[in-house]
Amino acid sequence: MPDNISKNKDPITPTSPLPARPYRSHKIPACDFCRKRRSRCTQEIADQPCLLCRMHGAACSRAVDKPTATTKRRRLTDNTPPEIQGQQPRPSPSPAVGYPDYVGSVHQPARRQSAATPGFTQNDASNQSGHIVGPAMARDAQVLERCMSSIYNTAVSYARPNPYSVYSDDTRNPVIYMKVPRQRNIAPSGNGTAGFKQFEAMEKVVEPLGPELCNVYFNNIQPPFPILDEKTVLEAYQHDGLPYALACEIYACSLLLWRSSPNITATSRPVPDIRYMWNLTVSAMNDDFLSPNFSTVLACILDLLGRPITSITYNAINVGRVVALSQSLGLNRNPTTWGLDPRQKSLRIRTWWGILIHDQWASLSHGTPPHIHKSVWDVPLPDSDSLLISMPSDATFPSDARIQGAYSFIALCSLTSLLGKILPLIYVLDTQPLESSFRELRRHETALNEWEESLQSWLCPTSPSFERKAAGALNLQLSFLAVKLCLSRIALLEIHRSNESAVDEDKLYYRSRCRKAARAVIDFTTSLERDEINTFWLPYTAYHFTSAATLTLRCALEAENADTAQECVAGAKKLMSFLRRMKNDANWDLTDICLGQCEAVVDRLCDTDYLEMWRKHPHAGQHAGDRINQGNNSSNASGPQFPAHGNGVDHAGQPEAPFQQLPNQATGDPAVDGIGDPSFLQTFMTFGSMPGLMGETPAFPDLWQMPYLDEYGYRGI
């Protein structure tokens, strides 16, 4: 609808009479609280609080010369003069003063500022985005850019706009961006800004606790994961300049820590419906991807921090699209020599490492190859300059939580870089010689030991001065144990899939290493106190618990003697008991995946006779039904009774899934091939409680028969 047509007019019959507007006296304007809620302000007595303020116990005040944030958003339109837009927030949020790159994707390098040309107006710039030019064509674009630049040829630059922006003039490795359209022609929602409608709904739910919810994020999640610039984000939030999708993500990520704020607890407000809030946030995120820019990358990084974790498919898709968007913006390139403002450089470095952390740890947790490989990025490790924090040079324990978190974040980035070199060993499909594989594993183990030795003493778990309460310390320790567990798994995997014959002593040795690595994760987890569980900000922690539990159960089934098997089961039971207690007492969401997948099988294996049955007959599940029938027909049958095939019922009253054997599974002695019985774990570890996971392996259905496709637009929580 054109701007010059009144919203009250019928678009089909412009001459139709306007409906009568109900009378409202403006002698006494609405108070700030009622105006923000868009509610009727009823003041029964002059100079007294209105009815709604008395009901909510709010301060009844009226700001005559300064409208509220919601009123400003609603009042401003796209045809606001530019000089006014520079003073007041616009419907399309603009960064606050000094707010680097959070909204605009097309920004001129600091070294070259050209006047606006008639062919590229301010309105055109708002609809443009920057896309990096590939290395093969960057030199060609650099030469063309000089011909079209206003610095070298004024006539040409005014005749047609310059489609390129140069960030690095290095002739050997130039960095060129090309201006491309930002969005498709879509029908706008709300006020036409992505996420506006969803943010207003979320703000209505949490008001007036929105600012306090932002403080919860920056006091708990920001210190160990300093991706955002706290000062500029809060300034933009106060001046209505923060992108709506990013504001929605900050709200949603903070909901699990609702009761950690004394100010929120004092209000006795219940926790908002997390499912509803996350669905609004995901909707805002999807709207933002229709016209993506730099703030979309930041919002997606926070979206991947979202908990509780229930939609693995959505998270996997989110990782893929944020990696693709970040590479189109050139975030994988080292910006230290570019002609940008230092704050823009530091923001790009922090953002890239946030993406890399999600990609690498999601690959380890989800079992999918990573999207990012070391050969395609050269961004340096974060330091005090890029983190915008003054870090002391000595090794003393800092009292500031943000400095503690900066040290742990830098260590996590370094550990993530090591993990990125290990992941190809998991997903490579070509079989390599056993000797070369173990040579590479030893190199990674040496690098991991050197990483541990390089930690600050108060950040190193083996040091007597280790500070458990430091921001990010416990999360970093569990991540380190998870990488060690991964190396032990790979070593055992290489033994099994190698074409070379391995002696039994080697297999026993690597199984013992796996047991030790899994036990380290279990012992660390069960040593946690209740007030420490909220320090695990990385959602992939949930998968580390499951990884340790499943490996321990496998070691129990493949153990060389009964004592070792029972010891492994006891360790798994210890982990399940702790996680169940944390779930019941503190409603810890990170326990859901492990409990849903492993608790039932651990309870079964706690039966010594049942455990010995599966250890002595590791492949008997394939013919379990026949053995059951033979045992029922024979009056003098002896030995362990196997569960019936297809019609058995477990201890919870649920029908058991049939025992299945993998198509390529060997049928030899487990002491020789070391495979054990995967059908046991496949049968009893039910994944039905998790969206996108299935307990069995049915034939792949047609696309229109897949129920999980309906959940792509939501988190499914």
Side-chain angles (χ1 to χ4, degrees):
M1 180 183 297
D3 293 336
N4 57 356
I5 297 179
S6 174
K7 295 182 180 179
N8 293 327
K9 292 184 179 181
D10 188 352
I12 300 178
T13 59
T15 59
S16 59
L18 296 177
R21 182 177 183 272
Y23 174 76
R24 172 187 169 92
S25 174
H26 295 276
K27 183 177 180 181
I28 302 178
C31 67
D32 296 339
F33 184 73
C34 293
R35 183 181 292 113
K36 188 174 183 180
R37 293 177 58 92
R38 298 184 179 180
S39 303
R40 183 176 182 85
C41 184
T42 304
Q43 189 175 14
E44 300 172 345
I45 304 175
D47 299 331
Q48 294 295 326
C50 67
L51 179 62
L52 198 61
C53 288
R54 293 202 306 270
M55 292 176 58
H56 289 80
C60 190
S61 59
R62 292 171 175 80
V64 178
D65 56 345
K66 183 179 179 181
T68 60
T70 306
T71 306
K72 289 189 291 184
R73 284 198 189 98
R74 187 174 65 251
R75 186 175 299 169
L76 293 175
T77 57
D78 291 333
N79 56 2
T80 305
E83 61 271 14
I84 299 179
Q85 291 181 357
Q87 300 173 2
Q88 295 176 335
R90 297 170 292 177
S92 180
S94 60
V97 178
Y99 201 53
D101 264 0
Y102 273 47
V103 177
S105 295
V106 178
H107 42 268
Q108 294 293 335
R111 64 169 185 84
R112 181 179 298 174
Q113 297 289 344
S114 58
T117 63
F120 189 68
T121 63
Q122 182 68 25
N123 291 333
D124 294 331
S126 63
N127 293 324
Q128 297 287 324
S129 177
H131 194 292
I132 194 169
V133 178
M137 298 180 58
R139 178 57 182 166
D140 301 342
Q142 184 182 25
V143 175
L144 294 177
E145 191 273 340
R146 292 178 178 177
C147 297
M148 305 184 71
S149 174
S150 59
I151 296 179
Y152 301 102
N153 192 335
T154 304
V156 173
S157 66
Y158 273 82
R160 62 181 61 88
N162 184 358
Y164 299 108
S165 296
V166 179
Y167 282 74
S168 176
D169 272 334
D170 188 359
T171 57
R172 296 170 299 177
N173 189 20
V175 179
I176 313 292
Y177 279 76
M178 179 175 58
K179 301 181 181 71
V180 296
R182 282 188 57 224
Q183 61 187 6
R184 301 175 180 175
N185 294 326
I186 57 174
S189 61
N191 69 340
T193 306
F196 173 77
K197 179 177 61 177
Q198 296 87 342
F199 175 73
E200 281 209 326
M202 296 181 69
E203 194 177 43
K204 195 81 170 179
V205 173
V206 302
E207 66 177 2
L209 300 176
E212 185 61 29
L213 207 56
C214 291
N215 292 333
V216 169
Y217 175 87
F218 285 105
N219 291 335
N220 295 274
I221 302 177
Q222 173 72 9
F225 195 59
I227 300 299
L228 303 180
D229 186 343
E230 179 178 359
K231 179 181 178 181
T232 51
V233 167
L234 292 178
E235 287 180 357
Y237 176 81
Q238 294 171 0
H239 293 84
D240 266 355
L242 194 64
Y244 298 117
L246 183 58
C248 290
E249 296 291 347
I250 294 176
Y251 280 174
C253 289
S254 306
L255 289 179
L256 283 178
L257 302 172
W258 179 270
R259 294 187 176 90
S260 65
S261 170
N263 295 333
I264 296 180
T265 304
T267 62
S268 302
R269 286 270 297 272
V271 181
D273 187 351
I274 296 181
R275 177 189 177 93
Y276 171 72
M277 299 288 278
W278 266 118
N279 285 341
L280 288 175
T281 303
V282 170
S283 177
M285 183 84 265
N286 292 334
D287 288 350
D288 206 18
F289 263 103
L290 295 177
S291 178
N293 50 32
F294 203 104
S295 68
T296 309
V297 178
L298 296 172
C300 198
I301 291 176
L302 268 61
D303 189 86
L304 291 169
L305 291 178
R307 289 163 45 192
I309 310 168
T310 54
S311 184
I312 298 178
T313 304
Y314 171 80
N315 290 335
I317 294 174
N318 238 10
V319 172
R321 64 178 179 176
V322 73
V323 169
L325 177 58
S326 64
Q327 290 178 343
S328 72
L329 296 176
L331 293 178
N332 58 320
R333 305 291 295 274
N334 184 0
T336 54
T337 59
W338 295 8
L340 292 176
D341 183 80
R343 299 187 69 182
Q344 291 181 340
K345 295 180 183 179
S346 63
L347 176 62
R348 295 177 71 93
I349 293 175
R350 297 195 311 270
T351 304
W352 173 254
W353 279 103
I355 298 169
L356 188 65
I357 287 174
H358 279 303
D359 180 67
Q360 306 295 306
W361 290 99
S363 174
L364 177 65
S365 303
H366 297 165
T368 55
H371 298 83
I372 302 174
H373 303 276
K374 177 58 183 175
S375 58
V376 299
W377 62 274
D378 59 350
V379 180
L381 276 172
D383 54 13
S384 60
D385 294 333
S386 58
L387 296 180
L388 306 178
I389 294 178
S390 178
M391 302 172 62
S393 57
D394 55 359
T396 58
F397 176 66
S399 58
D400 189 353
R402 281 156 177 75
I403 299 179
Q404 302 169 11
Y407 277 108
S408 65
F409 178 72
I410 294 174
L412 180 63
C413 291
S414 180
L415 182 63
T416 303
S417 180
L418 294 178
L419 178 62
K421 300 175 183 178
I422 297 172
L423 289 176
L425 298 178
I426 302 177
Y427 300 107
V428 64
L429 299 179
D430 297 333
T431 304
Q432 298 180 356
L434 193 61
E435 182 180 355
S436 62
S437 298
F438 277 93
R439 186 185 307 113
E440 193 168 357
L441 281 174
R442 287 192 294 270
R443 183 166 62 251
H444 293 318
E445 290 177 354
T446 302
L448 189 61
N449 293 333
E450 293 176 353
W451 174 88
E452 185 180 13
E453 294 174 357
S454 65
L455 293 176
Q456 300 284 334
S457 59
W458 53 269
L459 204 56
C460 181
T462 58
S463 173
S465 58
F466 175 64
E467 294 287 345
R468 295 175 60 93
K469 302 297 184 181
L474 294 178
N475 191 91
L476 181 66
Q477 182 180 357
L478 182 58
S479 301
F480 166 69
L481 295 177
V483 175
K484 293 188 67 174
L485 183 65
C486 177
L487 289 175
S488 301
R489 279 181 177 271
I490 295 176
L492 190 59
L493 178 65
E494 292 294 334
I495 287 288
H496 290 321
R497 70 182 180 184
S498 175
N499 295 327
E500 305 175 15
S501 59
V503 297
D504 294 343
E505 288 78 5
D506 293 340
K507 295 180 180 179
L508 293 176
Y509 168 72
Y510 287 106
R511 287 178 197 163
S512 65
R513 290 191 56 181
C514 287
R515 291 197 302 269
K516 182 179 179 181
R519 190 184 307 116
V521 175
I522 294 174
D523 292 342
F524 166 78
T525 304
T526 54
S527 67
L528 297 174
E529 301 293 338
R530 179 171 177 175
D531 60 343
E532 295 175 340
I533 61 176
N534 287 332
T535 61
F536 293 92
W537 56 271
L538 201 59
Y540 310 106
T541 301
Y543 300 97
H544 302 335
F545 301 151
T546 308
S547 179
T550 53
L551 184 57
T552 301
L553 294 177
R554 176 189 174 182
C555 292
L557 296 175
E558 298 179 354
E560 60 275 8
N561 55 67
D563 293 338
T564 303
Q566 294 177 8
E567 180 184 356
C568 292
V569 173
K573 181 63 177 177
K574 178 182 178 182
L575 177 62
M576 295 301 111
S577 300
F578 173 81
L579 296 181
R580 174 55 64 185
R581 187 172 69 254
M582 289 295 105
K583 179 63 178 178
N584 295 337
D585 297 345
N587 195 25
W588 195 18
D589 63 292
L590 294 179
T591 66
D592 294 339
I593 296 178
C594 187
L595 292 176
Q597 296 183 9
C598 303
E599 190 175 28
V601 67
V602 171
D603 291 341
R604 286 174 175 252
L605 290 180
C606 286
D607 186 350
T608 306
D609 295 336
Y610 195 82
L611 174 62
E612 288 302 310
M613 175 189 71
W614 279 97
R615 290 187 59 251
K616 293 178 181 179
H617 305 276
H619 303 287
Q622 184 179 6
H623 307 288
D626 297 337
R627 299 189 181 186
I628 283 289
N629 294 332
Q630 294 175 3
N632 293 336
N633 295 332
S634 176
S635 59
N636 57 354
S638 60
Q641 298 294 321
F642 290 87
H645 179 79
N647 59 355
V649 179
D650 63 7
H651 68 284
Q654 299 294 332
E656 290 186 352
F659 293 98
Q660 296 180 358
Q661 185 174 357
L662 297 179
N664 299 325
Q665 179 181 340
T667 57
D669 187 352
V672 177
D673 55 34
I675 300 296
D677 184 29
S679 64
F680 178 83
L681 298 181
Q682 179 185 1
T683 301
F684 294 109
M685 295 180 65
T686 57
F687 297 89
S689 60
M690 296 299 300
L693 296 179
M694 294 171 286
E696 302 176 4
T697 311
F700 195 84
D702 293 333
L703 289 180
W704 54 84
Q705 296 176 349
M706 296 181 67
Y708 308 107
L709 289 180
D710 297 336
E711 299 179 1
Y712 281 6
Y714 302 92
R715 297 189 64 88
I717 56 178

